Amino acid sequence: DSTQQGVLFSYVTPSLLFDGKEDVYKLRRKITEQNLLDAVIILPTNMLWPNTGIQVAAIQLKKGRRKDDPIKMIDASKLTIGNTRVAKLDVGTLVKWLDEMPSDDCKYVSTEEIRNNDYTWSVNNYMGLQKESFPEGYMVIKAGDVVNIVRGKHFFDDKKGHLVRISTLSNDGSDCKRSVDFFEETTELANTTK
């Protein structure tokens, strides 16, 4: 019966996997809670060249999944064949990964893990800790554990205050030791979305 089973495979922009806008968040939550999400795949950059050079992702939705079936998170960003400017996906290996998950670039996650990560589908959120090591004494915590998350709403009206842009933070973690007063005070908060 086609109403009980079926598979949908769709290309999506990577922002769909993590965007905090309320409607996108609700969509990810609904698909996750209805147990339809089967796989999230990060694809190589330039897959759609010459139309665009942006990276794309793919999601696989499946009806009829058992409640305890894991969700596959796959980083296929380097899964290419040939040395051409246009990325050619190694489809055979990707299909094998979808069936068997034999690679370090694949990970099974539970619905509970996605729920605990605020319904983000970002593959890097699940693969990152397995691929990266941190200096002794550093802890990894979710931003939601230290700040209140307000999704897609203008929060500041005309207020002024300290604005920390992710793009200006250093990669070495030294900014984590600074107080909020280190960052410049600005009136740009009136136009920010928190």
Side-chain angles (χ1 to χ4, degrees):
D1 182 3
S2 64
T3 61
Q4 299 302 315
Q5 294 185 353
V7 176
L8 172 96
F9 189 87
S10 178
Y11 292 113
V12 297
T13 62
S15 64
L16 177 83
L17 308 179
F18 57 82
D19 196 319
K21 291 180 184 167
E22 191 172 4
D23 55 342
V24 178
Y25 171 80
K26 284 181 177 179
L27 176 67
R28 285 194 313 266
R29 185 178 67 197
K30 183 175 183 176
I31 290 171
T32 302
E33 292 300 335
Q34 289 182 353
N35 197 32
L36 296 171
L37 184 64
D38 193 55
V40 179
I41 306 160
I42 298 297
L43 297 168
T45 305
N46 290 337
M47 282 270 308
L48 304 177
W49 188 264
N51 299 320
T52 182
I54 65 168
Q55 188 170 34
V56 293
I59 58 172
Q60 180 176 320
L61 305 180
K62 186 187 275 186
K63 282 186 170 182
R65 288 171 35 90
R66 291 189 318 254
K67 190 161 184 69
D68 61 343
D69 281 349
I71 297 152
K72 302 164 193 113
M73 296 288 174
I74 300 175
D75 180 359
S77 61
K78 294 178 180 59
L79 191 61
T80 59
I81 51 178
N83 287 329
T84 63
R85 182 173 159 176
V86 179
K88 293 183 180 177
L89 181 65
D90 183 350
V91 176
T93 301
L94 180 57
V95 169
K96 186 176 180 182
W97 286 3
L98 282 166
D99 290 340
E100 302 170 15
M101 300 293 284
S103 169
D104 288 341
D105 293 314
C106 307
K107 185 174 181 193
Y108 286 120
V109 299
S110 67
T111 299
E112 186 65 26
E113 284 178 87
I114 292 176
R115 192 178 294 123
N116 290 340
N117 277 298
D118 206 24
Y119 296 98
T120 183
W121 294 349
S122 177
V123 172
N124 292 336
N125 278 26
Y126 303 98
M127 306 287 283
L129 294 179
Q130 138 183 341
K131 290 183 172 183
E132 293 184 32
S133 61
F134 297 93
E136 188 174 327
Y138 280 81
M139 290 181 3
V140 177
I141 59 172
K142 295 188 290 188
D145 292 343
V146 293
V147 296
N148 292 328
I149 298 173
V150 179
R151 298 196 181 284
K153 298 199 172 43
H154 288 282
F155 190 73
F156 293 110
D157 297 331
D158 294 312
K159 295 182 182 178
K160 115 181 178 176
H162 300 279
L163 179 62
V164 180
R165 297 181 194 277
I166 291 174
S167 61
T168 62
L169 295 176
S170 67
N171 290 333
D172 65 6
S174 61
D175 295 314
C176 296
K177 299 175 186 175
R178 297 188 173 129
S179 74
V180 72
D181 295 325
F182 172 83
F183 298 96
E184 183 180 336
E185 193 168 355
T186 179
T187 57
E188 291 182 46
L189 295 180
N191 299 316
T192 60
T193 301
K194 190 174 178 191

